[in-house]
Amino acid sequence: IQCRFSQNLLRWTGELKSDEDALHSGLAEHLRRVLKGKRLCLFRKLLVDSCYPDSKVADEMAAGFPLCGWLPTSGVFPSKLRPPVLHMDTLEKMSASFAARSIGATKASGDEEMDRLLWEATMDEVKAGFLSGPYSAKELPKGAIASPRFGLLQKSKLRPIDNFSASHINSATGLKDKLQVDSIDEICAMIKAWAQRSSGTPQLVGRSYDLRKAYRQIGIAPEHLKFSWISV
């Protein structure tokens, strides 16, 4: 079954190549850079063929995701209304003030090594094409909002965190879904159910997968690029 699916996957990849090329050539420059090499037409086909309830997510990925306002519903998660606290009109009217506050609050952490690692991590994202810059504060366009970035040390690795709450962008975001992420409880329940249905003495083996810089690989809607600036 797996071999047959892999063969079909290769065949579909070839059949959809011209569609993929046409789609990518029509993308905005920043989306073309972030989504380079991603087979969006194949992604859509696989979602549709598997009857996934939110197959439109492939089209949303190609168009770029919004950062604020009402986010699109998925039809996958349970409904739970969380309206935005701040109206989009207010966010845009206060953009200069919010940006100035974010930039003013961006200061050294007091730990030179942490600051150096944060700057290097940011420049790595520029090199990878996830960010552009660096720019000076005076180059921030009119109507744009910058969110302050800080570093979070996880074991021996520093993770850059962009604080979209401090810039009030999160306050202008509304959700109609209650997002659910499986925890260790779901994993344990799955293992228990698997063991109960197995005869003899079951031996468990597994592998975990992680997408490198997952959130950096999601494109932003062109009309919301002005809200995606960061200050570091």
Side-chain angles (χ1 to χ4, degrees):
I1 293 172
Q2 290 178 341
C3 287
R4 187 164 59 247
F5 176 75
S6 296
Q7 289 171 352
N8 287 333
L9 205 58
L10 288 172
R11 178 168 56 82
W12 294 330
T13 298
E15 292 174 352
L16 293 170
K17 186 180 185 305
S18 59
D19 293 337
E20 300 282 10
D21 292 342
L23 175 61
H24 279 267
S25 64
L27 296 176
E29 181 183 351
H30 73 285
L31 290 174
R32 193 160 55 242
R33 188 169 63 244
V34 171
L35 298 175
K36 182 181 180 181
K38 293 180 172 56
R39 297 182 172 90
L40 302 176
C41 295
L42 179 61
F43 182 40
R44 185 194 300 115
K45 176 176 175 55
L46 293 174
L47 292 175
V48 171
D49 288 356
S50 61
C51 299
Y52 185 68
D54 190 23
S55 58
K56 69 180 188 305
V57 72
D59 297 319
E60 292 167 353
M61 182 178 289
F65 290 98
L67 285 178
C68 43
W70 282 104
L71 301 189
T73 56
S74 67
V76 175
F77 299 105
S79 297
K80 184 178 181 181
L81 197 67
R82 197 196 79 179
V85 177
L86 204 65
H87 196 279
M88 284 290 295
D89 290 345
T90 305
L91 182 71
E92 294 183 352
K93 288 177 182 177
M94 297 290 291
S95 60
S97 176
F98 291 159
R101 290 181 194 175
S102 291
I103 294 171
T106 306
K107 301 181 183 298
S109 67
D111 186 326
E112 290 187 11
E113 180 63 11
M114 284 277 287
D115 292 341
R116 182 185 66 81
L117 290 173
L118 179 61
W119 180 258
E120 289 180 354
T122 303
M123 291 302 102
D124 285 344
E125 291 185 13
V126 173
K127 187 177 180 180
F130 299 134
L131 291 173
S132 61
Y135 304 96
S136 64
K138 64 182 180 182
E139 292 179 90
L140 191 69
K142 184 179 180 180
I145 299 178
S147 299
R149 167 173 282 201
F150 63 91
L152 182 65
L153 200 59
Q154 295 179 327
K155 296 181 181 179
S156 59
K157 181 182 177 181
L158 183 128
R159 181 174 182 175
I161 305 294
D162 300 332
N163 193 346
F164 280 76
S165 294
S167 60
H168 299 282
I169 291 173
N170 283 352
S171 299
T173 305
L175 294 173
K176 297 180 181 178
D177 287 348
K178 181 182 180 181
L179 303 182
Q180 291 182 328
V181 180
D182 289 347
S183 66
I184 191 66
D185 293 336
E186 281 76 17
I187 298 173
C188 290
M190 182 176 64
I191 294 172
K192 181 182 177 182
W194 180 83
Q196 288 173 335
R197 286 161 175 77
S198 302
S199 58
T201 305
Q203 183 178 2
L204 181 68
V205 293
R207 176 176 291 165
S208 80
Y209 290 90
D210 190 19
L211 184 61
R212 184 175 179 269
K213 295 188 178 297
Y215 289 107
R216 302 292 182 254
Q217 299 191 46
I218 297 176
I220 297 170
E223 63 271 20
H224 283 183
L225 269 182
K226 59 185 177 183
F227 301 132
S228 68
W229 289 73
I230 60 168
S231 59
V232 60

